[in-house]
Amino acid sequence: MARSVPIGLPGIHQGTPPSDPGSSRGVITGVGPGERGATIDTVTTTATGTPTRAAAERPPFVRPRSGRLLAGVAAGTASHLRQDPLVVRIAFAVLATTGIGVVVYGLLWLTMPVAAPGEDPEPGTVQLGAGTGRRQLLVLVLLGLAASALFGQVLTSSGALALPLILVAVGLAVIWRQLDADRTLALPGVRWALAGGVVLAAGGVILLLATTGQLTAARDGFTATLVILTGVALATAPIWRRLLDSRSEERAARVRSEERASVAAHLHDSVLQTLALIQRHADDHQAVSRLARSQERELRAWLYDPKVVREGGTWAGLVAGMVADVEADHALIVDPVVVGDAPIDDELAALGAATRETLVNAAKHSGATAADLYTEVTPERVSVFVRDRGKGFDPATVPDDRRGLRDSVSGRLARLGGTAEIRSAPGEGTEVELVLPRVSS
Amino acid sequence: MSGPRVFVVDDHAMVRAGVRVELGDDVTFVGEAPDVGTAVEGIRATVPDVVLLDVHLPGGGGRAVLEALRTELPEVKWLALSVSDAAEDVIAVIRAGAKGYVTKTISGPDLLDAVRRVAEGDVVFSPRLAGFVLDAFAAIGAPEPAEEATDPGLDLLSAREREVMQLLARGYTYREIGSRLFISVKTVESHASNVLRKLQLSNRNELTRWAATNRLL
């Protein structure tokens, strides 16, 4: 009794209306006409075994961008049916012997959408190691050859037709595959493959015509067609031209309006919000100037900084972000000047932390409201100078409990093989110099 | 009224008014203009000591004013005043002949000091401008064989000039640089002037183009 419940469950599922795996399974059966009844049966068993997994959303019926052997039809189908791609591929190859497999494959290739970038269904099952991919391809090609040989046997009556037909089919397949998905013509390999496909297909057509003895007739027809096509093309050239022009104009207009929309969105998110905040805090001078300052910096970065800096990942970006943080947390205005740039590694990140500590130190103890930050990246070293014009101190008389600079700055730098130097005297402000040698480059 | 005779070119009336208030009676205002056309006419008519020139102006930018009048009025000193942080803009206006560059967020006393120094024939480097200069000359890199008939020295900063630029970028004043390097303030000024001259005369395309390239080393 207890056992009959889980077995009965899928049956109930099958009967219930949409939002249920059962209904989507019905759809598949419709798309892939009965040629893979076996696979669908397997799915049903899986669903019986683990109802929870079956309840999960089935991967979309799309062709993946990676892990393809030919056009991704088998891989996509397999992932949709939660099968090993190899099983589906062999099924296709076997079905190809009757000719149905080829036709179904072609139809699916035409109708199955390509997966959106980065949305390959279950890459784990679809992805192939380079080695297995090769081997599988080889095996499948052999299978396909065997299948077509059988297919050719079937067509023995018009056996002479088989070879040209196969040639045309292979040529078309190559062309389709090259123009499929996101391959660009810029890649040289793609162009050669395309040319090869065209030659193959053309050869097939000529062979076909030759074997059927209609080559001469076709040649006359070809000439006539060519003349007519040329005439039509010349006559309608202005229309094509105008179509192309209006299309490019349309595209330019769209780009412009998109850009305008993105600028408007950015201004709304940043400047307008800040202006509203400033109005609300009009009496609080400190808040107003802080808001204005942070907005100014943000807008500047958006307008002038190179993309790499804005998006982080480089020293200049790190410094800009750090300065923004320090200014937000402390009443200190920092004017950073960055010369050169480098990608961030662990050592630079540590130097950044030490720099931040130095700035915070200046904000807390110097009494100054502004500090200069200068940092220079050269192939040999990265140096950082933080200078304030505050009250200064005598470095020799720093009490032991004020260890911010000594521990977190000097210590950190020493561990990295760099140096930290503090120049200060009462009444003359302070300058901290941090130098980090760059060994790797 | 005393001090240098100043002409303000800026398309924002608020900035012009603000500059007038901040400089106060320490300088003599001889005129102001909101765009390139009126600026050229006004400066030609008044021949001021110093022109405070906005980099971004309707009708061609501050550079257009500079290029129109620089050879005609060599005695006029130009100080670029801008909110722009774009290195191309700053370098371009310096190369067109400005004697210095300050941002509009500069404090009143600092602006006055800058105007006076420019009026006396010195150059004015903000830390940011010094940083741009260092970046620009670093981007040029090692001297290549000079294919054009230029003084190769124009494409490089001397060690001392580099030192001065670095200290300027670190926020040091000329006086502080002098005492740090054990040289006189006049010597610091002459180093700074030399750097500016190199920036203006070097015809390496990289100088105007460097900022557009990826700055990764």
Side-chain angles (χ1 to χ4, degrees):
Chain A
M1 191 60 202
R3 206 176 163 275
S4 76
V5 174
I7 295 170
L9 210 56
I12 300 162
H13 275 244
Q14 210 99 27
T16 39
S19 88
D20 221 76
S23 61
S24 72
R25 198 182 305 142
V27 173
I28 316 156
T29 342
V31 174
E35 89 278 7
R36 278 183 316 285
T39 30
I40 287 168
D41 275 351
T42 328
V43 172
T44 322
T45 357
T46 328
T48 325
T50 50
T52 41
R53 224 188 99 199
E57 197 71 15
R58 208 177 259 293
F61 192 51
V62 291
R63 288 184 289 132
R65 278 167 186 270
S66 56
R68 296 172 167 192
L69 278 189
L70 188 55
V73 170
T77 313
S79 118
H80 183 69
L81 300 174
R82 298 213 181 85
Q83 279 300 313
D84 193 322
L86 189 61
V87 174
V88 181
R89 286 187 178 127
I90 290 174
F92 269 119
V94 170
L95 281 167
T97 52
T98 61
I100 298 172
V102 177
V103 173
V104 168
Y105 196 97
L107 279 178
L108 283 178
W109 190 348
L110 264 182
T111 49
M112 264 170 95
V114 178
E119 280 183 21
D120 274 5
E122 290 188 34
T125 56
V126 172
Q127 217 83 40
L128 296 164
T132 47
R134 282 281 153 69
R135 231 171 302 139
Q136 265 198 45
L137 187 61
L138 198 70
V139 170
L140 285 172
V141 164
L142 285 177
L143 257 174
L145 280 180
S148 15
L150 270 173
F151 188 39
Q153 289 289 310
V154 174
L155 293 177
T156 34
S157 48
S158 52
L161 285 182
L163 181 66
L165 279 177
I166 288 170
L167 273 183
V168 171
V170 170
L172 282 179
V174 168
I175 295 172
W176 276 24
R177 183 169 151 71
Q178 293 310 318
L179 294 180
D180 198 20
D182 42 21
R183 284 163 187 273
T184 51
L185 285 175
L187 293 173
V190 173
R191 262 189 229 156
W192 283 114
L194 207 57
V198 170
V199 167
L200 222 57
V205 168
I206 290 171
L207 208 59
L208 188 67
L209 291 174
T211 44
T212 51
Q214 290 172 349
L215 196 55
T216 38
R219 199 163 49 205
D220 295 344
F222 183 72
T223 318
T225 316
L226 195 68
V227 167
I228 290 169
L229 274 182
T230 313
V232 169
L234 282 178
T236 55
I239 298 176
W240 293 115
R241 173 90 190 277
R242 206 183 308 153
L243 267 178
L244 280 177
D245 281 358
S246 74
R247 230 188 104 187
S248 68
E249 260 170 40
E250 214 169 85
R251 189 179 304 156
R254 201 176 57 232
V255 167
R256 265 202 303 278
S257 79
E258 269 168 14
E259 197 167 304
R260 205 186 120 78
S262 96
V263 168
H266 181 266
L267 289 184
H268 176 264
D269 288 349
S270 57
V271 179
L272 286 183
Q273 299 280 12
T274 308
L275 286 177
L277 281 175
I278 285 177
Q279 283 174 33
R280 200 174 300 160
H281 295 278
D283 299 330
D284 184 350
H285 289 291
Q286 212 169 0
V288 167
S289 73
R290 188 174 290 184
L291 279 170
R293 171 80 184 161
S294 70
Q295 181 56 61
E296 178 199 343
R297 186 182 38 242
E298 199 259 351
L299 198 57
R300 264 177 204 290
W302 192 67
L303 287 173
Y304 302 126
D305 280 351
K307 205 167 171 219
V308 282
V309 173
R310 273 204 314 277
E311 288 180 353
T314 74
W315 176 240
L318 179 78
V319 168
M322 181 175 63
V323 165
D325 286 352
V326 171
E327 282 192 353
D329 295 346
H330 304 274
L332 184 76
I333 289 175
V334 182
D335 231 342
V337 176
V338 182
V339 171
D341 206 351
I344 293 180
D345 50 24
D346 288 349
E347 296 193 338
L348 272 185
L351 180 67
T355 308
R356 171 196 289 267
E357 188 61 36
T358 312
L359 285 174
V360 170
N361 223 58
K364 279 187 186 158
H365 305 302
S366 73
T369 55
D372 288 298
L373 168 63
Y374 171 66
T375 158
E376 184 175 346
V377 180
T378 65
E380 297 84 36
R381 70 182 73 85
V382 182
S383 11
V384 174
F385 299 89
V386 176
R387 180 178 168 84
D388 68 66
R389 296 176 176 281
K391 50 182 185 266
F393 63 97
D394 185 349
T397 63
V398 177
D400 278 348
D401 57 326
R402 291 258 312 274
R403 316 195 37 143
L405 268 185
R406 193 173 305 163
D407 282 357
S408 69
V409 178
S410 307
R412 223 186 285 240
L413 262 290
R415 279 194 291 280
L416 295 172
T419 55
E421 195 184 326
I422 300 161
R423 278 181 290 274
S424 184
E428 289 186 11
T430 308
E431 185 177 49
V432 179
E433 174 180 352
L434 312 174
V435 177
L436 178 71
R438 295 177 80 197
V439 274
S440 48
S441 49
Chain B
M1 296 282 248
S2 61
R5 301 169 65 246
V6 173
F7 193 101
V8 184
V9 183
D10 196 298
D11 51 335
H12 291 101
M14 264 172 74
V15 174
R16 297 199 301 269
V19 167
R20 272 174 178 258
V21 170
E22 296 218 315
L23 294 182
D25 289 340
D26 294 315
V27 300
T28 310
F29 281 98
V30 294
E32 57 180 47
D35 56 49
V36 171
T38 43
V40 170
E41 280 170 32
I43 294 166
R44 202 174 268 151
T46 55
V47 192
D49 295 325
V50 176
V51 177
L52 283 175
L53 185 65
D54 189 10
V55 173
H56 295 282
L57 274 183
R63 204 174 157 187
V65 183
L66 252 171
E67 280 164 357
L69 292 173
R70 188 156 59 121
T71 47
E72 186 184 330
L73 302 169
E75 68 275 26
V76 175
K77 309 291 194 301
W78 307 82
L79 179 60
L81 185 67
S82 169
V83 289
S84 168
D85 268 353
E88 305 94 291
D89 298 345
V90 177
I91 298 282
V93 75
I94 293 287
R95 277 172 69 81
K99 281 290 186 184
Y101 160 82
V102 292
T103 55
K104 284 179 183 171
T105 49
I106 191 173
S107 71
D110 286 349
L111 180 59
L112 181 60
D113 184 47
V115 169
R116 282 189 174 141
R117 291 222 312 263
V118 169
E120 285 163 18
D122 290 337
V123 297
V124 175
F125 274 94
S126 65
R128 192 169 293 278
L129 175 57
F132 285 161
V133 169
L134 283 169
D135 223 352
F137 280 96
I140 287 177
E144 293 160 22
E147 61 287 332
E148 291 146 71
T150 54
D151 177 1
L154 283 178
D155 293 329
L156 284 177
L157 298 181
S158 74
R160 216 353 110 72
E161 284 162 355
R162 213 181 134 68
E163 224 168 351
V164 169
M165 281 300 116
Q166 277 169 336
L167 286 168
L168 278 170
R170 283 155 64 177
Y172 280 63
T173 63
Y174 284 5
R175 190 185 314 279
E176 287 166 338
I177 293 172
S179 62
R180 177 91 196 264
L181 300 179
F182 307 108
I183 53 180
S184 72
V185 176
K186 268 277 155 251
T187 316
V188 178
E189 280 167 1
S190 83
H191 283 308
S193 299
N194 280 341
V195 172
L196 204 71
R197 193 178 56 88
K198 287 184 179 180
L199 195 61
Q200 286 165 354
L201 296 184
S202 168
N203 60 2
R204 279 297 183 83
N205 288 332
E206 286 91 333
L207 266 183
T208 47
R209 213 177 43 203
W210 66 273
T213 60
N214 194 332
R215 291 198 289 156
L216 288 179
L217 284 178

